């Protein structure tokens, strides 16, 4: 026996919402088909979990981006100050190789990270150590 759709559901929407529904449902056979598909997909637990994971990934990405921005700002200030001291003759020539590099290498050995590699390459470039 075929499951006939005999019940009707009405909903009041604005003109903008109506246009949005028409636009989004264009690739479906009808607006009703679009709504049924959306409800089925949203009700699917795997789809909800994927959506939550995508949201968590977005939060993680923003956190990493903020930390990279913070570290980059600190690195820029440090290199700028070290360069000023080097130009003024107030920075020992071996300070970078004997103090700064070992500190970065120690940090990298404790927790390998992109920032440590970035620090090393920026400092080498700024002070023409390569």
């Amino acid at each position: 026996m075929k499951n006939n759709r005999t019940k009707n559901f009405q909903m009041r929407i604005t003109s903008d919402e109506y246009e949005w529904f028409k636009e989004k449902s264009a690739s479906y056979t009808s607006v009703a088909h679009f709504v049924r598909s959306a409800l089925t997909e949203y009700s699917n637990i795997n789809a909800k979990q994927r959506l939550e994971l995508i949201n968590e990934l977005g939060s993680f990405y923003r956190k990493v981006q903020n930390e990279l921005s913070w570290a980059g700002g600190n690195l820029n200030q440090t290199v700028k100050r070290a360069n000023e001291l080097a130009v003024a003759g107030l920075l020992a020539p071996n300070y970078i190789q004997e103090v700064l590099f070992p500190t970065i290498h120690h940090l990298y050995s404790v927790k390998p990270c992109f920032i440590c590699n970035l620090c090393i390459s920026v400092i080498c470039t700024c002070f023409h150590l390569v």
Side-chain angles (χ1 to χ4, degrees), residues 29 41 69 93 112 116 126:
T29 56
E41 187 173 323
S69 178
C116 296
C126 289

Side-chain angles (χ1 to χ4, degrees), residues 14-76:
T14 66
S15 296
D16 290 339
E17 291 169 330
Y18 178 80
E19 291 303 320
W20 182 84
F21 269 105
K22 291 298 269 184
E23 180 183 315
K24 294 294 180 180
S25 65
S27 61
Y28 292 83
T29 56
S30 66
V31 174
H33 180 222
F34 164 70
V35 171
R36 279 189 214 97
S37 297
L39 286 172
T40 302
E41 187 173 323
Y42 185 76
S43 299
N44 182 343
I45 292 180
N46 289 334
K48 279 197 238 183
Q49 288 173 341
R50 284 193 307 263
L51 185 58
E52 289 171 3
L53 286 173
I54 289 170
N55 288 334
E56 287 177 25
L57 183 62
S59 296
F60 175 76
Y61 173 77
R62 283 187 293 279
K63 181 181 175 188
V64 169
Q65 185 177 15
N66 288 340
E67 288 180 13
L68 283 173
S69 178
W70 171 81
N74 284 349
L75 175 63
N76 188 43

